[in-house]
Amino acid sequence: MLQLSKLSLLSLGWSALLAAKAAGDELEGAAGSNTQASTTAAPTSLPPAAAVPELTLANYRLELLMITAAVGLVANYFYGSRKNTVLASVWEKPITDVLQANFSAVGNGHQVLEWDSAADLLFYASGRRHCKYAQGHLMLTARQDPIALLNDLTANNYEKLQVEVTLNEDVPGFVFAAVSRKRSKAVVRDRYDVSTFAKVSASDRVPTDIVLFSEHSDVTTQLLDSGLDQALSEESSLLEEVFVTDSPAEKPESHDFKREKRLLATIRLPSPTEAGIANFRKALEYVFYLVDYIGEGVSLRPETTRKLAKARDEAFKEFARMAEMEKQEALAKIVADKRRAELEEVKKMTPEQQRKWEEKDRKRQLKKEQSKRTRRVK
């Protein structure tokens, strides 16, 4: 699939090398001619006649190579964009079919996949039980960009579909992840929810190159019973990663962070053959089946639910203190503003009125202090 793109990269790289060599040859030639002219100049009073350069293609090697490279870049851009357009139309059909079978509102009413860049497409769907909405990101190889294409080839990045489903609040809340072993360390390092609440869960129901992270054995068992073990174990399976979480992926910086229950899945894109498209459709259908299973099939015991809630209270207590501090600061500001306005009114009173107000205020402050001492004794 990427043979023509690889050839484009090779040709562009070869043109760049030839351009550099040509530039070096020209500089060396210019330096040599200057040296020869300085050493062999005749000591006569009349300067020699200037030689007229011969107009040949050899004198414009650098310019020709630069033009060739520019033409190659433009051709690669149009070829890569066209190739991605064709692939997008291939994958849009199974994506549309699965979304329309699971959601009442798909896309913007005119199309399902919308271009975000020359290699990225997005979709949105809503109107389904157990979830608020779903959004997806189809990530193709950046065939139109030689640098990005080279990076994808060297980093062994693959084309994929990332699906994120925002679940309803009434579904069970927990943290679970199934990722490849080579990605497991990065997941622990980069995801706050996994590193804070989940731990590695050993299971012989999944291949050894898959690592499971889970908060509780009940969660692991019930999710594997949904068919997740088969979806991860089948040789033809395209399901790369699955995350189910009720906590933020990044560590919050304030107490008012957004807590949503989400299901995230990554599906690898196969070769666009009939069998590959069928396997892709099967993986995508399973993702939305998992939405129903979490909403209806996962049932946590009361003691498990209490344990998970306690873990969140412990992890988020810092943010609870921050919220209480902000509440107290806001209340103190209101009291201070009210006191300042009251003092401004006192300045406008007559001396007799001010004396009466001060007496009344003194009694009020004394009563407040007595009330505080009474509360401390209790």
Side-chain angles (χ1 to χ4, degrees):
M1 183 183 293
L2 299 178
Q3 290 300 320
L4 291 178
S5 297
K6 292 180 180 178
L7 290 175
S8 299
L9 285 175
L10 290 174
S11 62
L12 290 174
W14 182 246
S15 299
L17 289 174
L18 291 177
K21 184 178 183 305
D25 293 342
E26 289 187 6
L27 290 175
E28 291 178 1
S33 62
N34 289 339
T35 303
Q36 183 178 3
S38 62
T39 56
T40 62
T44 61
S45 58
L46 294 177
V52 178
E54 184 181 357
L55 297 179
T56 63
L57 291 177
N59 295 335
Y60 299 95
R61 284 186 299 171
L62 179 59
E63 290 80 359
L64 290 174
L65 289 172
M66 292 177 65
I67 293 174
T68 302
V71 171
L73 287 172
V74 173
N76 183 78
Y77 177 83
F78 284 106
Y79 164 76
S81 300
R82 174 59 182 167
K83 182 66 175 179
N84 281 349
T85 300
V86 173
L87 285 174
S89 64
V90 170
W91 296 118
E92 185 172 23
K93 180 64 168 61
I95 292 174
T96 301
D97 292 344
V98 175
L99 290 178
Q100 289 179 344
N102 284 273
F103 294 89
S104 60
V106 178
N108 59 9
H110 303 287
Q111 60 184 21
V112 175
L113 294 180
E114 297 186 17
W115 289 96
D116 187 55
S117 72
D120 299 272
L121 298 96
L122 308 176
F123 73 73
Y124 178 90
S126 62
R128 190 186 195 282
R129 60 183 180 179
H130 304 307
C131 72
K132 299 176 182 178
Y133 57 86
Q135 50 192 352
H137 183 187
L138 184 65
M139 305 171 67
L140 302 176
T141 300
R143 294 174 175 83
Q144 80 292 343
D145 185 345
I147 297 177
L149 177 59
L150 181 62
N151 178 69
D152 286 342
L153 293 175
T154 55
N156 199 26
N157 293 334
Y158 55 87
E159 296 180 310
K160 56 192 173 184
L161 173 67
Q162 292 182 333
V163 181
E164 178 177 339
V165 183
T166 301
L167 305 172
N168 288 343
E169 294 301 323
D170 57 355
V171 305
F174 52 85
V175 174
F176 174 88
V179 300
S180 64
R181 186 168 296 278
K182 64 181 181 181
R183 276 260 302 149
S184 58
K185 291 184 178 180
V187 168
V188 174
R189 182 186 68 238
D190 299 336
R191 291 194 65 103
Y192 170 79
D193 50 357
V194 175
S195 61
T196 303
F197 300 110
K199 58 184 178 181
V200 175
S201 178
S203 176
D204 57 1
R205 298 174 60 179
V206 296
T208 56
D209 60 343
I210 297 294
V211 177
L212 302 180
F213 295 94
S214 180
E215 280 196 84
H216 199 277
S217 59
D218 289 353
V219 173
T220 306
T221 301
Q222 294 188 50
L223 284 181
L224 292 180
D225 288 344
S226 71
L228 180 60
D229 53 349
Q230 296 180 2
L232 295 171
S233 302
E234 291 178 353
E235 185 176 350
S236 61
S237 175
L238 303 174
L239 192 62
E240 292 286 315
E241 295 181 349
V242 174
F243 293 90
V244 184
T245 180
D246 66 344
S247 299
E250 298 181 358
K251 185 175 182 180
E253 297 181 356
S254 64
H255 70 276
D256 57 347
F257 62 91
K258 195 173 185 180
R259 291 184 62 183
E260 289 184 327
K261 297 175 181 178
R262 291 168 296 138
L263 165 64
L264 302 97
T266 300
I267 302 174
R268 177 170 46 87
L269 297 186
S271 298
T273 61
E274 184 177 351
I277 294 174
N279 288 332
F280 173 81
R281 185 193 300 267
K282 179 180 178 181
L284 187 57
E285 287 174 343
Y286 173 75
V287 171
F288 296 122
Y289 163 75
L290 196 55
V291 173
D292 288 336
Y293 186 86
I294 294 173
E296 301 174 4
V298 175
S299 178
L300 302 180
R301 294 175 294 174
E303 55 268 28
T304 302
T305 303
R306 287 193 295 268
K307 182 178 179 180
L308 302 185
K310 183 179 179 181
R312 280 146 185 74
D313 292 340
E314 184 68 22
F316 300 144
K317 64 182 180 182
E318 173 187 353
F319 303 108
R321 286 196 300 267
M322 292 171 58
E324 184 62 26
M325 288 176 58
E326 289 187 9
K327 182 179 177 181
Q328 295 296 331
E329 289 174 359
L331 183 60
K333 185 178 183 302
I334 293 175
V335 173
D337 291 343
K338 183 178 179 180
R339 179 72 174 177
R340 190 180 302 109
E342 192 175 10
L343 292 175
E344 290 295 330
E345 292 296 325
V346 171
K347 292 179 181 180
K348 301 175 184 178
M349 296 180 182
T350 63
E352 179 62 21
Q353 289 175 328
Q354 289 182 3
R355 186 188 64 79
K356 291 181 178 180
W357 181 88
E358 290 173 356
E359 180 66 21
K360 183 178 179 181
D361 184 64
R362 186 184 64 80
K363 292 179 179 180
R364 185 170 54 192
Q365 296 297 333
L366 181 61
K367 185 177 179 180
K368 188 181 297 184
E369 289 296 329
Q370 290 175 346
S371 177
K372 288 182 180 179
R373 285 196 294 269
T374 302
R375 284 199 297 269
R376 288 197 201 100
V377 171
K378 290 181 179 180

